[in-house]
Amino acid sequence: MHVAPVGGTAVQDHVALAEIELCGDLIIAASAAHEERLSLESIDEVLKVAEERTRGSGTGE
């Protein structure tokens, strides 16, 4: 069994950290909605889907 050494040698996985942050944002939004389900539009808003589509398309729309 290999155990990671103690100290400042941890490697940060930026993609995993971003996914964890997005999951946290969804949990907060779901908690704020109380007993209602989040709509697909609300989920897209929390995850900033439209911003990513705009950034990825290069059109700026």
Side-chain angles (χ1 to χ4, degrees):
M1 176 170 81
H2 178 70
V3 178
V6 177
T9 61
V11 175
Q12 288 190 356
D13 183 339
H14 297 288
V15 173
L17 291 174
E19 289 177 359
I20 291 167
E21 184 176 347
L22 290 173
C23 287
D25 292 345
L26 278 175
I27 291 168
I28 292 167
S31 296
H34 301 288
E35 294 186 22
E36 298 176 28
R37 287 181 174 230
L38 291 176
S39 68
L40 293 177
E41 292 80 15
S42 296
I43 293 170
D44 285 351
E45 185 178 327
V46 170
L47 298 178
K48 300 177 178 93
V49 172
E51 292 176 22
E52 287 301 316
R53 285 186 184 147
T54 300
R55 196 176 319 162
S57 69
T59 62
E61 292 179 24

